Amino acid sequence: MVGAMTVSVPARPYDFSLDPAKAAFVIIDMQRDFLEPGGFGAALGNDVSLLQTAIGPIGAVLDSCRDAGVLVIHTREGHRPDLSDLPAAKHRRGRGDTRIGDPGPMGRILVRGEAGHDIIAELAPIAGEPVIDKPGKGAFYATDLEAILRGRGITQLILAGVTTEVCVHTTMREANDRGFECLVLEDGTASYFPEFHRTALAMACAQDGIFGWVAPSQDVITAISNHKGANA
Ligand code: C5J
């Protein structure tokens, strides 16, 4: 294969033309607070084990992106210790006993600097990978994500993380309106509600790609590897 700028990824609703030099792998909120017992997800009554399925596929794509020099960005949902960036409406939400900012087994729930706010060890960021701390569900709201992407000439996002229908979907929608092309990893995203996961993925690529594309992690890895081989 001769050198090529783009490589084709088999995807829904049709093949995605990936340009690894203009793509970023954005890993959304793979934090202990969502994936481990005693965190925010569990406080809302969820079975956190349902999110573990995304770890392996994300790890594999992460290795492939690091190896090929594709920009990797991590996000974390959480709040300042004084909760000054926590809207009262978000703080009040729900009927459980444990709220954002309350003490839990991994420190204060969804608060920056606490153990639960950390990204899980398997997917820990390495030097040079931007980590975006966000107070909302979308990674663009009240963050410098857009400035970082524009500054590096990024036009395509490979999206992974949790949860599919909440923070991944909100970020995908924000990105779509800002003109970024979005490819969502179907096995590198997960939800506490498997039916929401399936439906959120279907919504992303319905109407011939209303928000973007959906593909399995292995197809993205193969495409990145083929691109690297062709440009070696
Ligand atoms: C939620 C997220 N589900 N990261 N946050 O509250 O999806």
Side-chain angles (χ1 to χ4, degrees), residues 36-179:
E36 294 183 17
F40 182 59
L44 296 177
N46 297 303
D47 173 1
V48 294
S49 70
L50 288 164
L51 303 191
Q52 314 279 332
T53 57
I55 299 173
I58 294 175
V61 176
L62 182 58
D63 288 345
S64 149
C65 287
R66 283 174 176 163
D67 182 53
V70 174
L71 175 65
V72 175
I73 295 182
H74 306 258
T75 76
R76 300 184 295 202
E77 181 179 348
H79 297 278
R80 293 173 177 273
D82 65 3
L83 305 185
S84 56
D85 60 353
L86 174 62
K90 184 176 178 184
H91 199 189
R92 278 197 304 268
R93 199 83 44 82
R95 290 177 293 181
D97 291 337
T98 314
R99 293 180 183 277
I100 296 171
D102 289 349
M106 293 187 287
R108 294 177 65 208
I109 304 261
L110 228 58
V111 169
R112 294 179 193 161
E114 303 287 342
H117 184 258
D118 277 347
I119 291 169
I120 58 170
E122 297 93 316
L123 304 176
I126 59 173
E129 294 176 350
V131 178
I132 306 291
D133 280 326
K134 62 188 185 65
K137 304 305 182 195
F140 287 86
Y141 170 68
T143 73
D144 54 4
L145 175 60
E146 185 168 2
I148 290 173
L149 296 173
R150 302 260 185 238
R152 299 192 190 214
I154 299 297
T155 60
Q156 301 184 327
L157 306 183
I158 302 166
L159 294 171
V162 296
T163 61
T164 321
E165 78 281 11
V166 183
C167 290
V168 176
H169 232 262
T170 306
T171 300
M172 175 190 67
R173 288 164 183 248
E174 289 179 328
N176 182 66
D177 280 348
R178 285 168 173 79

Side-chain angles (χ1 to χ4, degrees), residues 1 4-10 15-20 156 219-228 230-231:
M1 197 196 289
M5 303 288 278
T6 63
V7 64
S8 191
V9 182
D15 290 359
F16 181 75
S17 186
L18 177 70
D19 181 349
Q156 301 184 327
D219 287 345
V220 173
I221 293 167
T222 302
I224 291 172
S225 156
N226 287 344
H227 183 270
K228 195 177 168 212
N231 289 280

